[in-house]
Amino acid sequence: MNLIDIGANLTHESFRHDFDDMLLRASHQGVSRLVVTGASLQGSIDALALARGRPGVLYATAGVHPHHAVDYDDATDLQLRELATQAEVVAVGETGLDYHRNYSPRDVQLAVFERQLAIAVDLHMPVFLHQRDAHDDFIALLRTVRDRLPAAVVHCFTDDGVALRHYLDLDCHIGMTGWICDERRGTHLRELVKLIPADRLMLETDSPYLLPRTVKPAPSHRRNEPMFLKHICEEVARDRGEDALAVAAASTRTAELFFGLERLG
Ligand SMILES: [Zn+2]
């Protein structure tokens, strides 16, 4: 099995003490390449540094999560633009809207989302998007720029069928996390995942968050890590009535094309 984890928060402090072992475990479970999520300016700088240390294995995104939108100023914008031009940075984001927690005011989130979409448009890069409890504002803004973006993935999709239809109509990609392995709150995703064309479906752990509930026994520390991506692949395959190896191959090919990984070798 050859998998790409398109969303792993490997700059998280919980990975500091066993980073190399964590990557080794992932590779033993077929996860050969990973995209390290940049969710703040410093996080994006750190993600790029990690990617540079593991060429051909780690890649990075550069962006500011809506939680941190209040920290975004003109200097941030300039630095993100600089980061985004680096070869190892394969998408702009994580950016988007999160009205679930509202750590940043909504008007600030919207403005900062718009500025990062503009970076992707200017540099002709794919975007790595986050949306929670904000679908209407999110889709309205995305619609205004979608035809100027080469590609867009709505990562950690947990929303309903209407939202999925909107995203697919805008030719977005969809990122599936271990949420789909959660028999308490993820069952609707088991139906919806059948509707996603193979060339629009990608897999991610969102490590260290969202430990799949199908990992048994669950590790005592509850930390999710990329080696568990296989569990997500297997659940998706079960739900789609497909072979896990076929889902792995298709989602890997989709991720290679989405992020342009082949040009980096
Ligand atoms: Zn997210």
Side-chain angles (χ1 to χ4, degrees):
M1 190 174 280
N2 175 23
L3 293 164
I4 298 176
D5 188 348
I6 70 147
N9 300 282
L10 301 187
T11 61
H12 194 273
E13 58 186 6
S14 67
F15 290 123
R16 242 168 249 166
H17 70 286
D18 66 345
F19 193 82
D20 292 349
D21 289 344
M22 173 272 295
L23 282 184
L24 198 60
R25 285 192 293 274
S27 82
H28 287 158
Q29 296 300 321
V31 183
S32 56
R33 286 168 287 176
L34 307 91
V35 181
V36 183
T37 308
S40 65
L41 179 57
Q42 189 57 51
S44 300
I45 292 167
D46 295 345
L48 173 58
L50 290 178
R52 285 192 169 145
R54 302 273 181 160
V57 175
L58 298 183
Y59 303 87
T61 70
V64 172
H65 191 284
H67 288 341
H68 308 302
V70 283
D71 299 330
Y72 198 105
D73 57 17
D74 290 346
T76 313
D77 197 78
L78 276 175
Q79 290 180 79
L80 278 188
R81 283 175 182 271
E82 177 63 28
L83 286 169
T85 63
Q86 306 303 302
E88 299 85 354
V89 175
V90 292
V92 173
E94 175 172 8
T95 181
L97 301 174
D98 193 316
Y99 295 172
H100 184 66
R101 300 203 197 274
N102 283 310
Y103 287 142
S104 290
R106 293 182 180 192
D107 57 329
V108 177
Q109 289 190 39
L110 273 163
V112 166
F113 182 25
E114 193 166 13
R115 291 186 77 170
Q116 292 178 82
L117 289 171
I119 295 175
V121 167
D122 291 346
L123 300 179
H124 204 64
M125 289 180 70
V127 284
F128 187 88
L129 302 174
H130 171 105
Q131 185 276 117
R132 190 144 184 222
D133 292 353
H135 177 73
D136 290 349
D137 286 355
F138 180 90
I139 198 79
L141 184 50
L142 187 57
R143 274 199 185 108
T144 65
V145 297
R146 180 63 189 92
D147 61 354
R148 287 174 285 147
L149 290 169
V153 59
V154 181
H155 110 100
C156 192
F157 178 82
T158 58
D159 217 327
D160 60 17
V162 174
L164 180 62
R165 188 76 263 151
H166 287 160
Y167 296 148
L168 293 177
D169 284 349
L170 277 186
D171 196 24
C172 292
H173 286 63
I174 305 294
M176 272 294 157
T177 61
W179 200 286
I180 198 169
C181 302
D182 189 329
E183 79 287 358
R184 302 163 306 174
R185 59 181 185 174
T187 48
H188 67 295
L189 296 177
R190 297 177 183 185
E191 291 300 316
L192 293 179
V193 76
K194 298 174 191 167
L195 307 175
I196 305 171
D199 64 356
R200 290 294 175 269
L201 175 61
M202 300 191 285
L203 307 176
E204 50 172 332
T205 58
D206 207 25
S207 301
Y209 315 113
L210 300 179
L211 177 71
R213 284 174 59 85
T214 48
V215 174
K216 285 177 181 148
S220 56
H221 46 67
R222 308 289 307 167
R223 183 187 69 174
N224 192 13
E225 57 173 90
M227 70 163 166
F228 297 133
L229 190 62
K230 196 174 76 167
H231 293 259
I232 300 165
C233 181
E234 287 168 348
E235 180 59 46
V236 166
R238 230 183 336 268
D239 302 334
R240 290 167 68 89
E242 294 171 6
D243 182 69
L245 283 174
V247 170
S251 63
T252 292
R253 185 71 193 135
T254 301
E256 284 173 342
L257 292 170
F258 181 91
F259 292 106
L261 299 190
E262 281 168 320
R263 69 186 153 79
L264 299 176

